Amino acid sequence: MAGTYTLTIIKPDAFAAGKAGKIIAHLEQQGFRVRAARVMHLSQDQAGEFYAVHRERPFYGSLVKFMTSGPCMPMVLEKDNAVAALRTAIGATDPAQADAGTVRKLYAESKERNAIHASDSDENAEREARFFFAESDVIAAR
Ligand code: ATP
Ligand code: MG
């Protein structure tokens, strides 16, 4: 799957605001294809484990609270060079710093409530995809 797939999450702020469809349309327009998707309300344990790498950061508690505040939408996306392409498409963590036309510039509220997650490496994309999906849930690459 390296290079071809990445894992994204439409976060609870964007999902609750009814922006999921617009975000998916935006990404499809840019050539991403949805290969697995679900709607789920993360538990404290799930959000804590997903963001375990940030456990020591000052925003960790607030981040876990935000990510458990309502349903979100994890998806596996396919595109050539998917990880780098999606990082470019979503823009900087803080929407105030994000380039024009990026998902976060268009749809994020703040640095924390920033609409969307994207894996930052092929290794993490694989790990994060397995966090939410069984291998049989992911539609095979072209
Ligand atoms: P993501 O991992 O969600 O794709 P990212 O890689 O741009 O985003 P990270 O540094 O991995 O950002 O932080 C993970 C998430 O934690 C961010 O997307 C954001 O929701 C939140 N976050 C990051 N930095 C801060 C901060 N300084 N204050 C509040 N929340 C933050
Ligand atoms: Mg990150």
Side-chain angles (χ1 to χ4, degrees), residues 49-134:
E49 188 188 339
F50 186 80
Y51 282 114
V53 62
H54 295 312
R55 198 165 270 152
E56 305 306 325
R57 309 279 284 277
F59 58 80
Y60 177 73
S62 177
L63 175 62
V64 169
K65 193 171 170 202
F66 161 52
M67 290 300 293
T68 58
S69 65
C72 66
M73 199 171 172
M75 296 185 284
V76 173
L77 300 181
E78 182 193 349
K79 191 181 198 261
D80 288 346
N81 250 317
V83 167
L86 187 63
R87 295 297 297 190
T88 301
I90 71 173
T93 307
D94 184 345
Q97 318 282 323
D99 289 339
T102 59
V103 173
R104 283 170 170 164
K105 182 57 111 190
L106 289 165
Y107 300 113
E109 294 176 19
S110 69
K111 187 168 186 178
E112 179 173 84
R113 298 170 61 84
N114 62 357
I116 192 165
H117 164 84
S119 306
D120 60 12
S121 66
D122 284 340
E123 187 187 355
N124 282 335
E126 176 81 38
R127 186 183 64 79
E128 292 173 359
R130 293 293 156 252
F131 187 89
F132 292 112
F133 300 101

Side-chain angles (χ1 to χ4, degrees), residues 8-10 14-15 18-39 73-77 86 103 107 115-116:
T8 190
I9 306 173
I10 297 177
F15 191 82
K19 297 171 179 170
K22 285 181 184 139
I23 292 171
I24 293 168
H26 179 101
L27 294 173
E28 287 180 333
Q29 186 102 36
Q30 300 200 352
F32 293 93
R33 289 289 168 258
V34 179
R35 294 309 190 196
R38 61 189 295 198
V39 175
M73 199 171 172
M75 296 185 284
V76 173
L77 300 181
L86 187 63
V103 173
Y107 300 113
I116 192 165

